[in-house]
Amino acid sequence: MKRTCFNPDKFHANQIPIYLFLIPLAIFMGMPIVFIINHAFKPLSELFAFPPRFFVENPSFENFQKLFQQASTSAVPLSRYIFNSGVVTVIVLIANIVIGALAAFAMSKLRFKGKYTMLEVNNLAMMFVGVAVVIPRYLVIDHMGITNTYWAHVLPLLAAPVGVFLIKQFTDQVPDSLVEAAIIDGASYWQVFLKVIMPMVKPALATIAVMTFQSVWGNVETSSMFTTRESMRTLTFFMNSLATNTGSVAGQGMAAAASLIMFLPNLIIFIAMQSKVMNTMAHSGIK
């Protein structure tokens, strides 16, 4: 079949059925985002309107004003929560990428005793959800004596078996001959890792960055389980507690505004890295 019919460079009549399927699907997938944005700007009368309205009719910043007014009455300034979230997110993001890439390189290209056992342990760890390891995590954090510190936020989030697995799948596609040629030319393992492997697994690294950011930014477990000092808690925990502690009715508007504020960074980082993420999902690897 000719390229113009199967995979044309420009629009072709044969693509119409594909568009008829993808456009409604895209609209359906985008509806939650549109709802979150509209919901945050609804006045109290529209939040409790019956039947419920999907789109806002009289947009208002009232929910945001109430949210920040309530935040200003807190004993700990809002900037402290933002700082805590920023520090924890940046440290975990960088550490997960570095640790995941190093572990994936070792498991993919190096030979050492226990390599396949470690790989199976990593794959087995992906079967456990976060709730299943809350108690062991708490016991470890408490035994180490690092509660109410940034380490209590960082250490429980460093283990990312999915990241190791995903980066390893990309690293496996780097030809061994390419690595051997670099070593013959005098490159060390560190140079091979930095100059050969890392540039070729950028899509996987970008995907891990997005996944890590979303999990850390929206995490409330470390603030509720491993810290008791209010000044050491994160913005997500503060927003959730602020919206829920003001009453079932009055807090709904603030909860909607807080949801949008916490959602926007996730949306922005995904849009910024969507091309890399799509390459990872397609498992492009080495062409």
Side-chain angles (χ1 to χ4, degrees):
M1 185 178 292
K2 295 182 179 179
R3 178 178 175 82
T4 54
C5 296
F6 180 71
N7 190 22
D9 295 327
K10 298 180 180 180
F11 177 77
H12 191 272
N14 289 344
Q15 294 178 326
I16 293 178
I18 300 177
Y19 281 105
L20 291 177
F21 173 76
L22 292 180
I23 291 177
L25 182 62
I27 294 174
F28 178 77
M29 297 295 292
M31 286 176 64
I33 300 177
V34 177
F35 177 78
I36 290 175
I37 296 174
N38 279 267
H39 198 61
F41 291 96
K42 289 180 180 178
L44 198 61
S45 58
E46 293 188 32
L47 286 172
F48 293 94
F50 186 83
R53 299 186 181 98
F54 188 88
F55 295 101
V56 58
E57 296 182 357
N58 300 299
S60 172
F61 287 94
E62 179 183 358
N63 296 330
F64 296 92
Q65 293 173 354
K66 289 182 178 179
L67 179 65
F68 289 114
Q69 286 174 0
Q70 188 71 22
S72 64
T73 62
S74 174
V76 179
L78 183 62
S79 58
R80 177 67 183 185
Y81 296 106
I82 297 175
F83 176 79
N84 290 343
S85 289
V87 169
V88 173
T89 301
V90 170
I91 293 177
V92 175
L93 186 62
I94 295 175
N96 270 355
I97 291 176
V98 173
I99 294 173
L102 287 172
F105 171 65
M107 292 183 181
S108 177
K109 298 303 179 185
L110 303 184
R111 296 187 180 92
F112 56 91
K113 188 176 181 179
K115 168 182 174 179
Y116 296 103
T117 301
M118 294 177 63
L119 182 59
E120 290 301 322
V121 170
N122 180 82
N123 295 340
L124 182 65
M126 291 190 294
M127 298 175 58
F128 294 91
V129 295
V131 177
V133 294
V134 167
I135 295 178
R137 282 179 177 176
Y138 175 80
L139 295 176
V140 171
I141 296 296
D142 184 64
H143 182 73
M144 295 177 66
I146 58 175
T147 55
N148 292 319
T149 65
Y150 286 115
W151 289 113
H153 288 285
V154 172
L155 288 182
L157 302 176
L158 287 184
V162 175
V164 176
F165 175 81
L166 188 59
I167 300 175
K168 180 187 177 297
Q169 294 302 104
F170 262 71
T171 308
D172 287 343
Q173 296 183 37
V174 179
D176 292 337
S177 58
L178 192 62
V179 176
E180 293 170 357
I183 294 177
I184 292 175
D185 289 340
S188 64
Y189 281 122
W190 279 107
Q191 290 174 323
V192 171
F193 171 72
L194 294 174
K195 297 183 179 181
V196 178
I197 301 298
M198 290 293 280
M200 293 186 175
V201 298
K202 283 183 178 180
L205 297 180
T207 303
I208 298 306
V210 173
M211 294 172 59
T212 301
F213 180 87
Q214 291 177 342
S215 63
V216 177
W217 183 255
N219 179 270
V220 296
E221 176 188 304
T222 56
S223 292
S224 59
M225 297 291 295
F226 310 137
T227 59
T228 56
R229 288 167 49 189
E230 194 67 27
S231 61
M232 288 303 302
R233 285 169 168 161
T234 59
L235 181 64
T236 305
F237 178 87
F238 175 69
M239 286 292 185
N240 289 345
S241 61
L242 188 66
T244 56
N245 292 338
T246 53
S248 59
V249 176
Q252 289 301 311
M254 288 188 289
S259 298
L260 179 60
I261 292 175
M262 300 309 300
F263 169 74
L264 283 179
N266 292 316
L267 180 63
I268 292 172
I269 192 172
F270 178 80
I271 292 175
M273 296 186 177
Q274 63 172 333
S275 60
K276 298 293 185 181
V277 174
M278 292 302 104
N279 287 339
T280 305
M281 295 302 117
H283 203 69
S284 59
I286 306 301
K287 299 297 183 183

